[in-house]
Amino acid sequence: VLDLIQELTGIPELIAGGFTATWYRAGDFLMPHTDDSQEKVVAVILYLTKDFEALSEGALVWCNPHTVLPSRFNSLILFLVGRHSRHLVDLVRSENGKRLAVSGWFRFGGQKGAAAYDKWFERSMRMSEGTNSTERRVLVINGERRCKLRSC
């Protein structure tokens, strides 16, 4: 998995950080946040709910620009973490609704980690200057299909 994340992001210095399984049920949601910390570089979400009828429930909502990324089974979402990565998890509304996912993040490792983080941070800030586009910061993979945010 690490090799895939390094390939997709173009950041070979990444190592695994923390991971957690989540189960959102009716009434559950997550307030807007950025995941921003010096440890976190790339965040990932793998959706595990089969037959989830209301795909907008429990969706990842990117705040700027406002974009809804449905919680489709077997989809993987990756994004660079930083002050530009404000997002939330939408409310699960239906009584039988549930959103199962594995979420986590990757960080820089080894003695070169601090220098790699500084280089990445500068590049990330240049990408976000003067634009509110998320196309270069979010990748959605649905099964065999890889696509930029706006074309999914």
Side-chain angles (χ1 to χ4, degrees):
V1 172
L2 181 59
D3 291 341
L4 174 64
I5 301 300
Q6 290 170 335
E7 177 188 338
L8 291 172
T9 61
I11 307 173
E13 301 91 354
L14 289 178
I15 63 172
F19 289 85
T20 187
T22 57
W23 178 8
Y24 288 68
R25 294 177 282 192
D28 291 342
F29 64 96
L30 190 58
M31 297 291 291
H33 62 285
T34 62
D35 291 338
D36 193 13
S37 81
Q38 190 164 359
E39 291 237 333
K40 299 176 182 179
V41 178
V42 175
V44 298
I45 304 166
L46 175 62
Y47 292 115
L48 302 173
T49 304
K50 288 185 178 180
D51 303 322
F52 194 22
E53 293 176 17
L55 288 175
S56 64
E57 292 190 40
L60 177 70
V61 179
W62 198 262
C63 294
N64 188 15
H66 182 267
T67 307
V68 177
L69 300 167
S71 52
R72 289 190 175 100
F73 174 70
N74 204 30
S75 290
L76 177 68
I77 296 178
L78 293 88
F79 61 89
L80 297 178
V81 173
R83 61 186 170 115
H84 60 271
S85 63
R86 192 162 191 75
H87 61 281
L88 59 98
V89 174
D90 193 27
L91 177 69
V92 176
R93 293 174 181 81
S94 63
E95 194 59 38
N96 296 325
K98 65 181 177 181
R99 175 192 185 263
L100 300 173
V102 173
S103 303
W105 50 273
F106 292 83
R107 63 183 181 85
F108 287 113
Q111 294 180 345
K112 298 179 182 179
Y117 179 85
D118 291 341
K119 181 180 174 184
W120 166 83
F121 185 80
E122 288 175 24
R123 187 180 81 189
S124 175
M125 290 304 100
R126 281 194 306 273
M127 285 172 53
S128 63
E129 285 177 4
T131 181
N132 63 1
S133 172
T134 56
E135 285 187 7
R136 291 175 291 192
R137 295 190 297 259
V138 177
L139 177 67
V140 179
I141 302 171
N142 299 317
E144 295 298 315
R145 188 174 60 129
R146 294 182 189 179
C147 49
K148 288 186 178 179
L149 176 65
R150 294 203 183 266
S151 61
C152 292

Short mmCIF file of all heavy atoms in Angstrom, two decimals, residues 78-144:
data_model
loop_
_atom_site.label_atom_id
_atom_site.label_comp_id
_atom_site.label_asym_id
_atom_site.label_seq_id
_atom_site.Cartn_x
_atom_site.Cartn_y
_atom_site.Cartn_z
N LEU A 78 -7.55 10.49 -1.61
CA LEU A 78 -6.28 10.98 -1.07
C LEU A 78 -6.26 12.49 -1.21
O LEU A 78 -6.70 13.01 -2.22
CB LEU A 78 -5.08 10.44 -1.86
CG LEU A 78 -4.76 8.98 -1.82
CD1 LEU A 78 -5.50 8.26 -2.90
CD2 LEU A 78 -3.27 8.80 -1.99
N PHE A 79 -5.72 13.18 -0.20
CA PHE A 79 -5.51 14.62 -0.35
C PHE A 79 -4.34 15.08 0.50
O PHE A 79 -4.02 14.48 1.51
CB PHE A 79 -6.78 15.42 -0.04
CG PHE A 79 -7.33 15.26 1.36
CD1 PHE A 79 -6.91 16.09 2.39
CD2 PHE A 79 -8.30 14.32 1.62
CE1 PHE A 79 -7.44 15.96 3.66
CE2 PHE A 79 -8.85 14.19 2.88
CZ PHE A 79 -8.41 15.02 3.91
N LEU A 80 -3.70 16.14 0.01
CA LEU A 80 -2.62 16.77 0.75
C LEU A 80 -3.22 17.52 1.92
O LEU A 80 -4.23 18.22 1.78
CB LEU A 80 -1.85 17.74 -0.13
CG LEU A 80 -1.12 17.14 -1.33
CD1 LEU A 80 -0.44 18.23 -2.14
CD2 LEU A 80 -0.10 16.10 -0.88
N VAL A 81 -2.60 17.37 3.08
CA VAL A 81 -3.09 18.00 4.30
C VAL A 81 -2.40 19.35 4.46
O VAL A 81 -1.20 19.48 4.24
CB VAL A 81 -2.79 17.11 5.52
CG1 VAL A 81 -3.14 17.81 6.81
CG2 VAL A 81 -3.52 15.78 5.39
N GLY A 82 -3.17 20.35 4.82
CA GLY A 82 -2.63 21.68 5.07
C GLY A 82 -3.75 22.65 5.36
O GLY A 82 -4.92 22.26 5.44
N ARG A 83 -3.41 23.92 5.47
CA ARG A 83 -4.44 24.92 5.80
C ARG A 83 -5.50 25.02 4.71
O ARG A 83 -6.59 25.49 4.94
CB ARG A 83 -3.81 26.27 6.08
CG ARG A 83 -3.05 26.84 4.92
CD ARG A 83 -2.32 28.12 5.33
NE ARG A 83 -1.42 28.50 4.26
CZ ARG A 83 -1.56 29.60 3.55
NH1 ARG A 83 -2.54 30.44 3.81
NH2 ARG A 83 -0.71 29.87 2.60
N HIS A 84 -5.17 24.57 3.50
CA HIS A 84 -6.09 24.61 2.37
C HIS A 84 -7.04 23.40 2.32
O HIS A 84 -7.91 23.34 1.48
CB HIS A 84 -5.30 24.66 1.06
CG HIS A 84 -4.42 23.46 0.91
ND1 HIS A 84 -3.14 23.44 1.39
CD2 HIS A 84 -4.65 22.24 0.37
CE1 HIS A 84 -2.61 22.25 1.15
NE2 HIS A 84 -3.51 21.51 0.53
N SER A 85 -6.88 22.43 3.21
CA SER A 85 -7.62 21.17 3.10
C SER A 85 -8.84 21.11 4.02
O SER A 85 -9.15 20.07 4.58
CB SER A 85 -6.69 19.99 3.37
OG SER A 85 -6.19 20.02 4.70
N ARG A 86 -9.56 22.20 4.15
CA ARG A 86 -10.74 22.24 5.03
C ARG A 86 -11.85 21.36 4.45
O ARG A 86 -12.25 21.51 3.30
CB ARG A 86 -11.22 23.68 5.17
CG ARG A 86 -12.25 23.86 6.26
CD ARG A 86 -12.33 25.35 6.62
NE ARG A 86 -13.10 25.57 7.81
CZ ARG A 86 -12.68 25.33 9.04
NH1 ARG A 86 -11.48 24.85 9.25
NH2 ARG A 86 -13.47 25.56 10.08
N HIS A 87 -12.37 20.45 5.28
CA HIS A 87 -13.38 19.50 4.85
C HIS A 87 -14.22 19.06 6.05
O HIS A 87 -13.89 19.38 7.19
CB HIS A 87 -12.72 18.29 4.18
CG HIS A 87 -11.81 17.55 5.11
ND1 HIS A 87 -10.53 17.98 5.41
CD2 HIS A 87 -11.98 16.41 5.81
CE1 HIS A 87 -9.96 17.14 6.26
NE2 HIS A 87 -10.83 16.17 6.52
N LEU A 88 -15.29 18.33 5.77
CA LEU A 88 -16.15 17.80 6.82
C LEU A 88 -16.75 16.50 6.33
O LEU A 88 -16.66 16.15 5.15
CB LEU A 88 -17.25 18.80 7.18
CG LEU A 88 -18.20 19.22 6.05
CD1 LEU A 88 -19.50 18.43 6.12
CD2 LEU A 88 -18.49 20.71 6.16
N VAL A 89 -17.39 15.76 7.24
CA VAL A 89 -18.17 14.58 6.86
C VAL A 89 -19.63 14.94 7.07
O VAL A 89 -20.04 15.34 8.17
CB VAL A 89 -17.78 13.34 7.69
CG1 VAL A 89 -18.70 12.17 7.37
CG2 VAL A 89 -16.33 12.96 7.44
N ASP A 90 -20.40 14.83 6.00
CA ASP A 90 -21.82 15.20 6.01
C ASP A 90 -22.62 14.26 6.91
O ASP A 90 -22.25 13.10 7.13
CB ASP A 90 -22.37 15.16 4.58
CG ASP A 90 -23.72 15.82 4.44
OD1 ASP A 90 -24.02 16.73 5.25
OD2 ASP A 90 -24.47 15.44 3.55
N LEU A 91 -23.73 14.76 7.38
CA LEU A 91 -24.64 14.04 8.27
C LEU A 91 -25.19 12.77 7.61
O LEU A 91 -25.59 12.80 6.46
CB LEU A 91 -25.82 14.96 8.63
CG LEU A 91 -26.92 14.39 9.50
CD1 LEU A 91 -26.41 14.16 10.92
CD2 LEU A 91 -28.11 15.35 9.52
N VAL A 92 -25.19 11.68 8.37
CA VAL A 92 -25.89 10.47 7.95
C VAL A 92 -27.32 10.63 8.43
O VAL A 92 -27.58 10.70 9.62
CB VAL A 92 -25.24 9.20 8.54
CG1 VAL A 92 -26.05 7.96 8.18
CG2 VAL A 92 -23.80 9.06 8.08
N ARG A 93 -28.25 10.74 7.47
CA ARG A 93 -29.64 11.10 7.79
C ARG A 93 -30.58 9.91 7.96
O ARG A 93 -31.42 9.91 8.84
CB ARG A 93 -30.20 12.03 6.71
CG ARG A 93 -29.53 13.38 6.69
CD ARG A 93 -30.01 14.22 5.51
NE ARG A 93 -29.35 15.51 5.48
CZ ARG A 93 -28.14 15.73 5.00
NH1 ARG A 93 -27.43 14.73 4.51
NH2 ARG A 93 -27.62 16.93 5.02
N SER A 94 -30.48 8.92 7.10
CA SER A 94 -31.47 7.84 7.12
C SER A 94 -31.27 6.95 8.35
O SER A 94 -30.16 6.75 8.83
CB SER A 94 -31.40 7.01 5.85
OG SER A 94 -30.15 6.39 5.73
N GLU A 95 -32.38 6.42 8.84
CA GLU A 95 -32.37 5.60 10.06
C GLU A 95 -31.47 4.38 9.92
O GLU A 95 -30.82 3.97 10.87
CB GLU A 95 -33.80 5.18 10.40
CG GLU A 95 -33.95 4.62 11.78
CD GLU A 95 -33.54 5.59 12.89
OE1 GLU A 95 -33.81 6.80 12.76
OE2 GLU A 95 -32.94 5.14 13.87
N ASN A 96 -31.44 3.78 8.73
CA ASN A 96 -30.61 2.59 8.51
C ASN A 96 -29.27 2.93 7.88
O ASN A 96 -28.53 2.02 7.50
CB ASN A 96 -31.37 1.60 7.62
CG ASN A 96 -32.62 1.08 8.31
OD1 ASN A 96 -32.63 0.91 9.52
ND2 ASN A 96 -33.67 0.88 7.55
N GLY A 97 -28.97 4.21 7.74
CA GLY A 97 -27.72 4.61 7.10
C GLY A 97 -26.51 4.27 7.93
O GLY A 97 -26.57 4.22 9.16
N LYS A 98 -25.42 4.00 7.24
CA LYS A 98 -24.14 3.80 7.93
C LYS A 98 -23.04 4.13 6.95
O LYS A 98 -23.20 4.01 5.73
CB LYS A 98 -24.00 2.39 8.48
CG LYS A 98 -23.96 1.30 7.43
CD LYS A 98 -23.83 -0.05 8.06
CE LYS A 98 -23.87 -1.14 7.00
NZ LYS A 98 -23.77 -2.46 7.56
N ARG A 99 -21.94 4.58 7.47
CA ARG A 99 -20.76 4.92 6.65
C ARG A 99 -19.57 4.25 7.31
O ARG A 99 -19.13 4.64 8.38
CB ARG A 99 -20.57 6.43 6.62
CG ARG A 99 -19.30 6.88 5.90
CD ARG A 99 -19.07 8.35 6.20
NE ARG A 99 -17.98 8.94 5.50
CZ ARG A 99 -16.75 9.10 5.99
NH1 ARG A 99 -16.45 8.64 7.20
NH2 ARG A 99 -15.81 9.70 5.28
N LEU A 100 -19.10 3.20 6.67
CA LEU A 100 -17.92 2.49 7.17
C LEU A 100 -16.72 2.91 6.34
O LEU A 100 -16.80 2.95 5.11
CB LEU A 100 -18.11 0.97 7.05
CG LEU A 100 -19.29 0.37 7.79
CD1 LEU A 100 -19.44 -1.09 7.42
CD2 LEU A 100 -19.11 0.53 9.28
N ALA A 101 -15.63 3.22 7.00
CA ALA A 101 -14.44 3.66 6.28
C ALA A 101 -13.20 3.41 7.12
O ALA A 101 -13.28 3.27 8.34
CB ALA A 101 -14.54 5.14 5.94
N VAL A 102 -12.08 3.35 6.43
CA VAL A 102 -10.78 3.38 7.10
C VAL A 102 -10.15 4.70 6.69
O VAL A 102 -10.05 5.01 5.51
CB VAL A 102 -9.88 2.19 6.68
CG1 VAL A 102 -8.49 2.35 7.26
CG2 VAL A 102 -10.52 0.88 7.12
N SER A 103 -9.77 5.48 7.68
CA SER A 103 -9.15 6.78 7.43
C SER A 103 -7.76 6.78 8.04
O SER A 103 -7.52 6.14 9.06
CB SER A 103 -9.97 7.90 8.09
OG SER A 103 -11.29 7.88 7.62
N GLY A 104 -6.88 7.52 7.43
CA GLY A 104 -5.53 7.60 7.97
C GLY A 104 -4.71 8.66 7.29
O GLY A 104 -5.21 9.44 6.49
N TRP A 105 -3.45 8.67 7.61
CA TRP A 105 -2.56 9.66 7.04
C TRP A 105 -1.14 9.11 6.94
O TRP A 105 -0.79 8.13 7.59
CB TRP A 105 -2.60 10.95 7.86
CG TRP A 105 -2.41 10.77 9.34
CD1 TRP A 105 -3.39 10.51 10.26
CD2 TRP A 105 -1.20 10.81 10.08
NE1 TRP A 105 -2.85 10.38 11.51
CE2 TRP A 105 -1.51 10.59 11.43
CE3 TRP A 105 0.13 11.04 9.73
CZ2 TRP A 105 -0.55 10.56 12.43
CZ3 TRP A 105 1.10 11.03 10.72
CH2 TRP A 105 0.75 10.79 12.06
N PHE A 106 -0.38 9.75 6.09
CA PHE A 106 1.02 9.42 5.89
C PHE A 106 1.86 10.64 6.24
O PHE A 106 1.40 11.77 6.12
CB PHE A 106 1.26 8.99 4.44
CG PHE A 106 0.60 7.69 4.10
CD1 PHE A 106 -0.74 7.64 3.75
CD2 PHE A 106 1.32 6.50 4.17
CE1 PHE A 106 -1.35 6.44 3.46
CE2 PHE A 106 0.71 5.29 3.89
CZ PHE A 106 -0.63 5.27 3.53
N ARG A 107 3.10 10.39 6.66
CA ARG A 107 4.00 11.47 7.06
C ARG A 107 5.38 11.22 6.47
O ARG A 107 5.63 10.17 5.87
CB ARG A 107 4.08 11.54 8.58
CG ARG A 107 4.67 10.29 9.22
CD ARG A 107 4.67 10.39 10.74
NE ARG A 107 5.24 9.21 11.36
CZ ARG A 107 6.54 9.02 11.58
NH1 ARG A 107 7.42 9.94 11.23
NH2 ARG A 107 6.97 7.92 12.14
N PHE A 108 6.24 12.19 6.62
CA PHE A 108 7.62 12.02 6.18
C PHE A 108 8.37 11.24 7.24
O PHE A 108 8.15 11.41 8.44
CB PHE A 108 8.31 13.36 5.95
CG PHE A 108 7.83 14.05 4.72
CD1 PHE A 108 7.11 15.23 4.81
CD2 PHE A 108 8.08 13.53 3.46
CE1 PHE A 108 6.67 15.88 3.66
CE2 PHE A 108 7.64 14.16 2.32
CZ PHE A 108 6.92 15.34 2.42
N GLY A 109 9.29 10.37 6.80
CA GLY A 109 10.04 9.56 7.74
C GLY A 109 11.54 9.72 7.60
O GLY A 109 12.03 10.32 6.65
N GLY A 110 12.24 9.18 8.58
CA GLY A 110 13.68 9.18 8.55
C GLY A 110 14.30 10.53 8.89
O GLY A 110 13.62 11.50 9.19
N GLN A 111 15.62 10.58 8.82
CA GLN A 111 16.35 11.80 9.15
C GLN A 111 16.11 12.91 8.14
O GLN A 111 16.25 14.08 8.45
CB GLN A 111 17.85 11.50 9.25
CG GLN A 111 18.19 10.58 10.41
CD GLN A 111 19.67 10.29 10.48
OE1 GLN A 111 20.41 10.54 9.55
NE2 GLN A 111 20.10 9.77 11.61
N LYS A 112 15.73 12.54 6.92
CA LYS A 112 15.46 13.53 5.90
C LYS A 112 14.04 14.08 6.00
O LYS A 112 13.64 14.92 5.22
CB LYS A 112 15.67 12.93 4.51
CG LYS A 112 17.10 12.47 4.26
CD LYS A 112 17.22 11.87 2.88
CE LYS A 112 18.63 11.36 2.64
NZ LYS A 112 18.77 10.75 1.32
N GLY A 113 13.27 13.58 6.97
CA GLY A 113 11.87 13.95 7.09
C GLY A 113 11.61 15.43 7.22
O GLY A 113 10.74 15.98 6.55
N ALA A 114 12.36 16.14 8.06
CA ALA A 114 12.11 17.56 8.28
C ALA A 114 12.40 18.36 7.00
O ALA A 114 11.61 19.23 6.63
CB ALA A 114 12.97 18.08 9.43
N ALA A 115 13.48 18.05 6.34
CA ALA A 115 13.81 18.76 5.10
C ALA A 115 12.78 18.45 4.02
O ALA A 115 12.35 19.34 3.27
CB ALA A 115 15.21 18.37 4.62
N ALA A 116 12.36 17.20 3.94
CA ALA A 116 11.34 16.81 2.95
C ALA A 116 10.03 17.52 3.25
O ALA A 116 9.34 17.98 2.34
CB ALA A 116 11.15 15.30 2.95
N TYR A 117 9.67 17.63 4.54
CA TYR A 117 8.43 18.32 4.90
C TYR A 117 8.50 19.78 4.48
O TYR A 117 7.55 20.30 3.90
CB TYR A 117 8.17 18.23 6.41
CG TYR A 117 6.91 18.96 6.79
CD1 TYR A 117 5.68 18.34 6.70
CD2 TYR A 117 6.95 20.30 7.19
CE1 TYR A 117 4.50 19.01 7.00
CE2 TYR A 117 5.78 20.98 7.50
CZ TYR A 117 4.57 20.33 7.40
OH TYR A 117 3.41 21.01 7.70
N ASP A 118 9.62 20.45 4.76
CA ASP A 118 9.76 21.87 4.38
C ASP A 118 9.62 22.05 2.88
O ASP A 118 8.94 22.96 2.41
CB ASP A 118 11.11 22.43 4.86
CG ASP A 118 11.17 22.55 6.37
OD1 ASP A 118 10.10 22.56 7.02
OD2 ASP A 118 12.29 22.64 6.90
N LYS A 119 10.26 21.16 2.10
CA LYS A 119 10.17 21.24 0.64
C LYS A 119 8.73 21.00 0.17
O LYS A 119 8.20 21.73 -0.66
CB LYS A 119 11.10 20.19 0.02
CG LYS A 119 11.12 20.17 -1.48
CD LYS A 119 12.09 19.10 -1.97
CE LYS A 119 12.03 18.96 -3.47
NZ LYS A 119 12.90 17.87 -3.94
N TRP A 120 8.07 19.99 0.74
CA TRP A 120 6.69 19.70 0.39
C TRP A 120 5.77 20.86 0.75
O TRP A 120 4.91 21.25 -0.02
CB TRP A 120 6.21 18.44 1.09
CG TRP A 120 4.73 18.30 1.01
CD1 TRP A 120 4.01 17.79 -0.02
CD2 TRP A 120 3.78 18.75 1.97
NE1 TRP A 120 2.66 17.88 0.25
CE2 TRP A 120 2.50 18.47 1.46
CE3 TRP A 120 3.88 19.36 3.22
CZ2 TRP A 120 1.35 18.78 2.15
CZ3 TRP A 120 2.73 19.67 3.90
CH2 TRP A 120 1.48 19.38 3.37
N PHE A 121 5.97 21.43 1.96
CA PHE A 121 5.11 22.50 2.42
C PHE A 121 5.21 23.71 1.49
O PHE A 121 4.19 24.29 1.12
CB PHE A 121 5.50 22.91 3.85
CG PHE A 121 4.58 23.94 4.43
CD1 PHE A 121 3.36 23.57 4.96
CD2 PHE A 121 4.94 25.27 4.45
CE1 PHE A 121 2.50 24.51 5.50
CE2 PHE A 121 4.10 26.23 4.98
CZ PHE A 121 2.87 25.85 5.51
N GLU A 122 6.40 24.08 1.08
CA GLU A 122 6.58 25.19 0.14
C GLU A 122 5.86 24.90 -1.17
O GLU A 122 5.17 25.75 -1.72
CB GLU A 122 8.06 25.44 -0.12
CG GLU A 122 8.78 26.06 1.05
CD GLU A 122 10.27 26.18 0.79
OE1 GLU A 122 10.69 26.22 -0.39
OE2 GLU A 122 11.03 26.22 1.78
N ARG A 123 6.01 23.68 -1.69
CA ARG A 123 5.35 23.30 -2.94
C ARG A 123 3.83 23.33 -2.80
O ARG A 123 3.11 23.82 -3.66
CB ARG A 123 5.80 21.91 -3.37
CG ARG A 123 5.28 21.52 -4.76
CD ARG A 123 5.75 20.16 -5.16
NE ARG A 123 4.87 19.19 -4.52
CZ ARG A 123 5.08 17.90 -4.51
NH1 ARG A 123 6.14 17.39 -5.08
NH2 ARG A 123 4.24 17.08 -3.94
N SER A 124 3.35 22.83 -1.66
CA SER A 124 1.92 22.81 -1.41
C SER A 124 1.34 24.22 -1.35
O SER A 124 0.27 24.51 -1.89
CB SER A 124 1.63 22.08 -0.10
OG SER A 124 0.28 22.14 0.23
N MET A 125 2.05 25.13 -0.72
CA MET A 125 1.57 26.51 -0.62
C MET A 125 1.59 27.19 -1.99
O MET A 125 0.68 27.95 -2.30
CB MET A 125 2.42 27.31 0.38
CG MET A 125 2.21 26.89 1.82
SD MET A 125 0.48 26.98 2.37
CE MET A 125 -0.06 25.29 2.27
N ARG A 126 2.58 26.91 -2.81
CA ARG A 126 2.61 27.47 -4.17
C ARG A 126 1.42 26.96 -4.97
O ARG A 126 0.81 27.70 -5.74
CB ARG A 126 3.91 27.11 -4.88
CG ARG A 126 5.09 27.96 -4.48
CD ARG A 126 6.25 27.80 -5.45
NE ARG A 126 6.65 26.43 -5.66
CZ ARG A 126 7.53 25.77 -4.91
NH1 ARG A 126 8.10 26.36 -3.88
NH2 ARG A 126 7.85 24.52 -5.18
N MET A 127 1.05 25.69 -4.78
CA MET A 127 -0.09 25.12 -5.50
C MET A 127 -1.39 25.80 -5.11
O MET A 127 -2.28 25.95 -5.93
CB MET A 127 -0.21 23.62 -5.20
CG MET A 127 0.82 22.79 -5.90
SD MET A 127 0.80 21.06 -5.36
CE MET A 127 -0.90 20.60 -5.57
N SER A 128 -1.50 26.23 -3.86
CA SER A 128 -2.77 26.78 -3.39
C SER A 128 -2.86 28.29 -3.56
O SER A 128 -3.94 28.85 -3.41
CB SER A 128 -3.00 26.40 -1.92
OG SER A 128 -2.01 26.96 -1.11
N GLU A 129 -1.77 28.96 -3.88
CA GLU A 129 -1.80 30.42 -4.04
C GLU A 129 -2.61 30.82 -5.26
O GLU A 129 -2.44 30.27 -6.33
CB GLU A 129 -0.38 30.98 -4.18
CG GLU A 129 0.37 31.00 -2.87
CD GLU A 129 1.80 31.48 -3.06
OE1 GLU A 129 2.18 31.86 -4.18
OE2 GLU A 129 2.54 31.46 -2.06
N GLY A 130 -3.48 31.78 -5.06
CA GLY A 130 -4.22 32.37 -6.18
C GLY A 130 -5.24 31.46 -6.82
O GLY A 130 -5.71 31.73 -7.91
N THR A 131 -5.59 30.35 -6.19
CA THR A 131 -6.58 29.45 -6.77
C THR A 131 -7.41 28.82 -5.67
O THR A 131 -6.94 28.64 -4.56
CB THR A 131 -5.91 28.33 -7.61
OG1 THR A 131 -6.94 27.52 -8.15
CG2 THR A 131 -4.99 27.47 -6.79
N ASN A 132 -8.64 28.53 -5.98
CA ASN A 132 -9.45 27.77 -5.03
C ASN A 132 -9.76 26.39 -5.58
O ASN A 132 -10.62 25.68 -5.12
CB ASN A 132 -10.74 28.51 -4.66
CG ASN A 132 -11.65 28.70 -5.86
OD1 ASN A 132 -11.33 28.29 -6.97
ND2 ASN A 132 -12.78 29.36 -5.65
N SER A 133 -9.01 25.99 -6.60
CA SER A 133 -9.22 24.69 -7.22
C SER A 133 -8.63 23.58 -6.36
O SER A 133 -7.55 23.73 -5.80
CB SER A 133 -8.55 24.65 -8.60
OG SER A 133 -8.60 23.35 -9.11
N THR A 134 -9.34 22.47 -6.27
CA THR A 134 -8.83 21.31 -5.55
C THR A 134 -8.29 20.25 -6.49
O THR A 134 -7.84 19.21 -6.05
CB THR A 134 -9.94 20.68 -4.69
OG1 THR A 134 -11.03 20.37 -5.53
CG2 THR A 134 -10.38 21.61 -3.58
N GLU A 135 -8.31 20.50 -7.80
CA GLU A 135 -7.96 19.46 -8.76
C GLU A 135 -6.57 18.90 -8.54
O GLU A 135 -6.33 17.73 -8.78
CB GLU A 135 -8.07 19.98 -10.19
CG GLU A 135 -9.50 20.10 -10.63
CD GLU A 135 -9.61 20.45 -12.10
OE1 GLU A 135 -8.57 20.47 -12.79
OE2 GLU A 135 -10.73 20.71 -12.54
N ARG A 136 -5.61 19.71 -8.12
CA ARG A 136 -4.25 19.21 -7.94
C ARG A 136 -4.01 18.70 -6.54
O ARG A 136 -2.92 18.24 -6.23
CB ARG A 136 -3.26 20.32 -8.28
CG ARG A 136 -3.26 20.65 -9.76
CD ARG A 136 -2.38 21.81 -10.04
NE ARG A 136 -2.98 23.00 -9.45
CZ ARG A 136 -2.59 24.23 -9.70
NH1 ARG A 136 -1.60 24.45 -10.51
NH2 ARG A 136 -3.19 25.25 -9.13
N ARG A 137 -5.01 18.78 -5.66
CA ARG A 137 -4.81 18.38 -4.28
C ARG A 137 -5.64 17.18 -3.85
O ARG A 137 -5.43 16.65 -2.79
CB ARG A 137 -5.12 19.56 -3.37
CG ARG A 137 -4.15 20.71 -3.56
CD ARG A 137 -4.34 21.74 -2.49
NE ARG A 137 -5.65 22.36 -2.53
CZ ARG A 137 -5.90 23.55 -3.03
NH1 ARG A 137 -4.95 24.25 -3.57
NH2 ARG A 137 -7.12 24.05 -2.99
N VAL A 138 -6.61 16.76 -4.65
CA VAL A 138 -7.47 15.64 -4.28
C VAL A 138 -7.49 14.63 -5.41
O VAL A 138 -7.63 14.98 -6.57
CB VAL A 138 -8.92 16.12 -4.00
CG1 VAL A 138 -9.83 14.94 -3.69
CG2 VAL A 138 -8.95 17.12 -2.87
N LEU A 139 -7.35 13.36 -5.07
CA LEU A 139 -7.42 12.28 -6.04
C LEU A 139 -8.47 11.30 -5.57
O LEU A 139 -8.48 10.90 -4.41
CB LEU A 139 -6.06 11.58 -6.14
CG LEU A 139 -5.98 10.38 -7.07
CD1 LEU A 139 -6.15 10.81 -8.52
CD2 LEU A 139 -4.66 9.67 -6.88
N VAL A 140 -9.37 10.93 -6.46
CA VAL A 140 -10.41 9.95 -6.15
C VAL A 140 -10.18 8.74 -7.04
O VAL A 140 -10.03 8.88 -8.25
CB VAL A 140 -11.83 10.53 -6.42
CG1 VAL A 140 -12.89 9.48 -6.11
CG2 VAL A 140 -12.05 11.79 -5.60
N ILE A 141 -10.16 7.57 -6.44
CA ILE A 141 -9.99 6.33 -7.19
C ILE A 141 -11.21 5.46 -6.93
O ILE A 141 -11.49 5.10 -5.79
CB ILE A 141 -8.71 5.59 -6.76
CG1 ILE A 141 -7.49 6.49 -6.95
CG2 ILE A 141 -8.57 4.29 -7.54
CD1 ILE A 141 -6.23 5.93 -6.37
N ASN A 142 -11.96 5.15 -7.99
CA ASN A 142 -13.15 4.30 -7.89
C ASN A 142 -12.86 3.00 -8.63
O ASN A 142 -12.89 2.96 -9.84
CB ASN A 142 -14.37 4.97 -8.54
CG ASN A 142 -14.72 6.27 -7.86
OD1 ASN A 142 -14.71 6.33 -6.64
ND2 ASN A 142 -15.01 7.29 -8.63
N GLY A 143 -12.59 1.95 -7.88
CA GLY A 143 -12.27 0.67 -8.52
C GLY A 143 -11.04 0.82 -9.38
O GLY A 143 -9.99 1.19 -8.91
N GLU A 144 -11.17 0.58 -10.68
CA GLU A 144 -10.04 0.68 -11.60
C GLU A 144 -9.88 2.07 -12.19
O GLU A 144 -8.94 2.34 -12.90
CB GLU A 144 -10.23 -0.32 -12.75
CG GLU A 144 -10.19 -1.77 -12.31
CD GLU A 144 -8.84 -2.14 -11.70
OE1 GLU A 144 -7.80 -1.76 -12.27
OE2 GLU A 144 -8.84 -2.79 -10.65
#
